[in-house]
Amino acid sequence: ALLRPMVATADIGDLANEFNSMATVLKGYKETMEEQVAKRTADLEKFKMAVESAFDCIVITDPNGIILYANKAIEKITGFTRREVLGKKIGSGELWGGLMGKEFYDNMWKTLHENKKDFLGEIKQKRKNGEQYTSLISITPIMTKDREIQFFVSIERDVTNITKEAAGH
């Protein structure tokens, strides 16, 4: 004898209605997610535009100080293009740094790496053309939940003219 499933037509109709209800709910979730993704993408685009247009030089490095990102102001302040600085160590004599004594850099890296605190300081730098300038830098370590350094964000402002004016030059 053949075994026939004992599913009533009403049960199939109920099941079809449940699937349709679930499909409607899932479609609503999908539309909500798409709206959220669009909003977050727009927010990220605003953030990117703000960072790119900033007056100050903004640089992101890995935990060892290797440059991963630099905004447009890098060229205006240092004379180096983004292409020239990406992948190189920030603050090196090869780029726009290296004019401060070893003690300064040791203190800066100790503050950042060991103490995992922000560093703020006035620093003598040199542009690509060799011209020296003074900048105010702030470097912030960005941490994981486990307090491991993920990367650094450095913001640099050329304060040469402000410093000269204050000195009466």
Side-chain angles (χ1 to χ4, degrees):
L2 290 170
L3 294 174
R4 289 189 189 179
M6 306 244 336
V7 177
T9 307
D11 291 341
I12 292 174
D14 289 344
L15 193 55
N17 287 336
E18 273 304 310
F19 278 128
N20 286 337
S21 293
M22 286 174 52
T24 301
V25 167
L26 289 174
K27 184 179 177 191
Y29 286 152
K30 180 181 179 254
E31 289 169 357
T32 301
M33 269 191 345
E34 288 172 348
E35 287 170 10
Q36 288 178 354
V37 167
K39 183 183 181 308
R40 289 196 175 142
T41 301
D43 289 346
L44 284 173
E45 191 59 33
K46 286 178 197 166
F47 178 77
K48 179 183 173 192
M49 287 172 50
V51 170
E52 279 296 309
S53 302
F55 176 79
D56 296 329
C57 179
I58 300 173
V59 175
I60 297 173
T61 72
D62 73 5
N64 298 313
I66 303 301
I67 300 171
L68 304 173
Y69 168 84
N71 70 346
K72 290 180 197 174
I74 190 95
E75 194 163 350
K76 177 184 69 176
I77 292 176
T78 70
F80 289 93
T81 66
R82 288 191 247 206
R83 182 174 280 147
E84 290 175 301
V85 303
L86 291 178
K88 296 193 176 146
K89 186 159 178 111
I90 195 167
S92 68
E94 178 184 6
L95 294 176
W96 61 93
L99 296 181
M100 303 297 284
K102 181 182 180 323
E103 192 175 300
F104 176 88
Y105 294 110
D106 288 347
N107 177 53
M108 180 182 79
W109 286 113
K110 180 181 179 187
T111 300
L112 294 167
H113 274 285
E114 291 176 32
N115 302 339
K116 298 180 181 181
K117 299 206 184 266
D118 296 349
F119 179 85
L120 178 65
E122 195 173 283
I123 184 170
K124 300 228 179 294
Q125 308 272 43
K126 70 176 179 332
R127 299 185 213 287
K128 184 178 177 181
N129 67 9
E131 176 188 355
Q132 291 190 12
Y133 69 101
T134 304
S135 67
L136 182 63
I137 60 166
S138 68
I139 306 171
T140 301
I142 306 301
M143 315 284 228
T144 64
K145 291 178 190 165
D146 300 327
R147 300 236 346 113
E148 295 297 319
I149 297 171
Q150 255 186 315
F151 57 92
F152 294 104
V153 175
S154 169
I155 301 175
E156 176 181 334
R157 173 171 287 184
D158 181 348
V159 295
T160 306
N161 292 334
I162 298 167
T163 306
K164 285 181 181 177
E165 288 169 13
H169 292 111

